[in-house]
Amino acid sequence: MSDLRQCEIVCVVGARPNFMKIGPVMRALDNAGIRAQLVHTGQHYDAAMNERFFADLNIPRPDVNLEVGSSSHAVQTAEVMSRFEPVLDRLNPRAILVVGDVNSTIACALVAAKKGIGVIHVEAGLRSYDRRMPEEINRVLTDQISDLLFTTERHALDNLEREGIERDRVHFVGNVMIDTQLHNLDRAVPWRETLQAAGIEPEEFAPAGRYGVLTLHRPSNVDAAEILEPLVTTLSTIAKDLPLVFPLHPRTHNRLRSFGLEQHLEDVSIAVLPPAGYLEMLGLMKDAKVVLTDSGGMQEETTALGVPCITLRENTERPVTIDEGTNVLVGHDTEQLQAAFRDLMQHGGKQGRIPYYWDGNAGERIAGIIGDWLGLPGATRATG
């Protein structure tokens, strides 16, 4: 823990999806002369992966690590709250800034709101309208108690207004995850190097230089054998036509093993890798023919890269990637999955465009609005 000092903004991260969003915000706050400190709740508790992400993304080392670790949703949320409160008392900020929709987001926002400290939510207004998703509950509740809400696309305002949130609290600034992507694009690790590091010969695996990327980790996809087995069987068939690179999430690995499905990944063109760092994943995605995923962030990243995306979910909180981008939603329906893949192979897949304000400058817009809100001199309000 570094030397704690009073600051204007406490920025909070808790899990891997947050890391990719906080870097541009911290840089922009620093450039604007706004004093900020970073608190890592430790919700993502893999120390090696934490170090990797902070190094890859040039994120400043956290001033505080609460080291909460994994547990049930209720226990983890409560533990973050109890450990965050004394830190907040000591730092005495004017506001906290939370990103995304993980348990740490709502936990820290609740503590701040109950203490009369301002709450700023980056990536507000995203809705899947599926309350079975814990992230959806976190999103809705965090938005309700936030003083400043920063959105990634215009339609998020409609979602928020339907929930009674005043328009003047909401600011459309763009997508900080795309800031990170554009900032690091020339540092991406080439896909061949990533395969070679895993002991796989790229020219043998994908002799034509064409491959797809597969990620799978959501409980709705991997926790029930009756859903996971047909998915894996279909993906194994797809891999016969297009080799797939599969960075394997620990949760998915455990489920494949416990359901006796590991053999579906053998003797087919699926390169199973350990969880990849950000720069490795960026390199894999940018040169892929397609990305098949149940990740929310990768739907956005593929749209920004112009890479076709087939999303293995029944719904998405990022509809702009479907309306404007390269994303196709197929759910658990293996026939829809095969149809989307056939279209890709025959016609090149869905073409899209980059949404407005996904230009690499969201962090600067956020810092300008925060500076204005705090009454700091020289702040410039973003418009949109």
Side-chain angles (χ1 to χ4, degrees), residues 7 24 29 34 88 104 115 156 181 212 237 239 243 262 301 320 347 350 361:
C7 59
L29 290 174
I34 300 172
L88 201 58
S104 297
K115 296 177 78 66
Q181 185 183 75
T237 301
E262 288 179 299
E301 290 172 311
V320 70
H347 306 294
K350 185 177 180 184
N361 297 312

Side-chain angles (χ1 to χ4, degrees), residues 23-341:
V25 176
M26 295 288 291
R27 283 194 301 273
L29 290 174
D30 184 59
N31 290 338
I34 300 172
R35 291 175 299 148
Q37 294 220 348
L38 181 63
V39 172
H40 181 12
T41 68
Q43 178 181 328
H44 183 126
Y45 55 93
D46 184 325
M49 288 301 289
N50 276 346
E51 289 297 315
R52 182 85 173 274
F53 270 90
F54 282 106
D56 283 355
L57 301 176
N58 294 320
I59 302 171
R61 288 287 181 264
D63 299 283
V64 182
N65 190 328
L66 302 180
E67 299 180 344
V68 168
S70 181
S71 190
S72 70
H73 286 284
V75 171
Q76 187 178 68
T77 302
E79 193 65 26
V80 171
M81 292 178 70
S82 67
R83 297 190 188 195
F84 183 60
E85 184 174 29
V87 173
L88 201 58
D89 288 340
R90 186 171 176 185
L91 292 174
N92 192 31
R94 297 177 65 180
I96 74 161
L97 183 147
V98 294
V99 296
D101 52 23
V102 301
N103 288 339
S104 297
T105 301
I106 180 60
C108 294
L110 277 170
V111 173
K114 285 176 177 286
K115 296 177 78 66
I117 295 171
V119 177
I120 302 167
H121 187 201
V122 173
E123 202 181 68
L126 298 182
R127 297 291 182 269
S128 67
Y129 291 97
D130 182 357
R131 292 293 179 94
R132 296 170 299 176
M133 296 177 64
E135 297 91 345
E136 183 78 354
I137 304 298
N138 294 342
R139 286 190 284 264
V140 171
L141 295 179
T142 302
D143 286 341
Q144 283 294 326
I145 59 177
S146 293
D147 300 279
L148 283 181
L149 299 94
F150 293 119
T151 62
T152 63
E153 47 99 1
R154 291 187 187 279
H155 295 301
L157 176 61
D158 299 332
N159 296 334
L160 295 168
E161 287 192 313
R162 276 193 293 270
E163 295 167 9
I165 293 172
E166 299 89 346
R167 178 184 288 262
D168 61 4
R169 289 159 57 192
V170 182
H171 303 270
F172 170 42
V173 294
N175 194 327
V176 290
M177 182 173 282
I178 305 309
D179 287 17
T180 294
Q181 185 183 75
L182 295 175
H183 185 74
N184 289 285
L185 201 55
D186 61 353
R187 301 174 60 232
V189 177
W191 68 273
R192 289 182 172 85
E193 290 184 17
T194 298
L195 290 185
Q196 286 170 341
I200 298 167
E201 177 50 53
E203 304 310 325
E204 293 180 8
F205 173 74
R210 299 193 312 165
Y211 65 93
V213 174
L214 168 65
T215 75
L216 204 61
H217 75 281
R218 288 193 177 270
S220 58
N221 277 331
V222 306
D223 280 3
E226 62 269 22
I227 292 176
L228 184 58
E229 182 168 15
L231 269 180
V232 172
T233 301
T234 302
L235 291 164
S236 299
T237 301
I238 285 173
K240 295 176 183 177
D241 294 319
L242 182 71
L244 297 178
V245 182
F246 187 12
L248 187 56
H249 192 282
R251 182 190 194 96
T252 310
H253 190 192
N254 291 337
R255 297 300 185 271
L256 289 168
R257 187 167 46 206
S258 63
F259 298 150
L261 298 175
E262 288 179 299
Q263 73 275 9
H264 288 283
L265 304 182
E266 299 170 359
D267 300 322
V268 294
S269 294
I270 298 181
V272 178
L273 307 183
Y278 177 79
L279 297 178
E280 283 79 11
M281 280 304 303
L282 183 55
L284 288 170
M285 281 192 296
K286 78 181 186 68
D287 290 324
K289 185 174 179 63
V290 65
V291 171
L292 303 105
T293 187
D294 58 6
S295 161
M298 290 178 73
Q299 296 172 56
E300 295 178 329
E301 290 172 311
T302 47
T303 278
L305 291 169
V307 173
C309 180
I310 299 175
T311 296
L312 307 169
R313 284 173 51 181
E314 300 292 337
N315 50 56
T316 180
E317 65 282 356
R318 293 164 167 86
V320 70
T321 64
I322 296 173
D323 298 339
E324 300 182 29
T326 59
N327 191 17
V328 176
L329 203 66
V330 299
H332 305 136
D333 190 324
T334 55
E335 290 186 5
Q336 284 192 45
L337 170 56
Q338 290 172 319
F341 181 72

